Amino acid sequence: MNPVALLHNTLARWGRRTLSTVQAWWQVMLMGAEVVVLALHPSSYAGAAQRQAILGSLYRATAPLLTWFLVLSALISLVLIRIVVATAMSYGLSQYALEVLVRTLVLELIPLYAALFVAVRFSMPAAQQMRRQLALWAREGQVPAHQDLLRHELLPRALGSAFSVLLLAALSCVIALVLTYLNVYGLSPWGLPAYTRAVGGVFSPAVTLIFGLKTLFFALAVAFVPMASGAQRDSVGGYSRRSDITEFARLLSVILLLEVISLLGNYY
């Protein structure tokens, strides 16, 4: 085959894939922005049926995950706390153990695995369920209008996902801080002044702002990326099933990008 024609075909395929990827991400961002606007508009909560759907989604996204996630989070936190405290004491650096634990466990790890846990256990399955329903409606010729799709299908699931990430991350942070105190000071109340000073020294205004924004954007990514992707039509205009690995990789790339940005804000 002519090398020039082969190069032309290769560049053309690469260009089509790049354009398709850019269009897909643009549609995700656009649909996510529309859902955010709907979430902030009071009319989205006017109807009793809509409020019931949103409350039901909040419950399904949080209650079934709460117990197992908190148990898993407590176990992971306890293991990491013991490792860090024992290592710091063996090197005579116990005065830095609290700061290291708060920075690594509370600021970085807990929001990350809370977002991934909710994505795997609720957000992505809910997006696949919505896509199967859209495929059924498409076969029956009953696909809802765009605004109805956003308001009645995407909005409740997205709010449930975001609420679940924020709640699980907040509760896990509290559990991690309590376990840290118990491992360092035991049941004695005399360590509270030193402990609060150490933790307060880590949570400066800038760090607190970055931590809050990172957790919020993690929640928004988990809420909107799978849902917006699930509502997109495929190349033939239908709603064929998509690979879970591909959808998870897309979400993970967004979460890792947000994590890198937060690290740059905290440490550079």
Side-chain angles (χ1 to χ4, degrees), residues 136-182:
L136 178 61
W137 285 337
R139 288 194 296 269
E140 297 175 351
Q142 299 176 354
V143 177
H146 183 69
Q147 286 299 319
D148 292 335
L149 174 63
L150 293 177
R151 187 182 299 272
H152 301 302
E153 300 296 331
L154 266 73
L155 180 61
R157 293 178 171 88
L159 289 178
S161 301
F163 176 77
S164 181
V165 172
L166 295 176
L167 180 63
L168 295 183
L171 293 178
S172 296
C173 288
V174 172
I175 291 175
L177 291 174
V178 172
L179 290 176
T180 301
Y181 179 86
L182 293 177

Side-chain angles (χ1 to χ4, degrees), residues 88-100:
M89 291 181 64
S90 66
Y91 287 99
L93 301 173
S94 56
Q95 67 271 23
Y96 301 110
L98 281 177
E99 181 177 351
V100 171

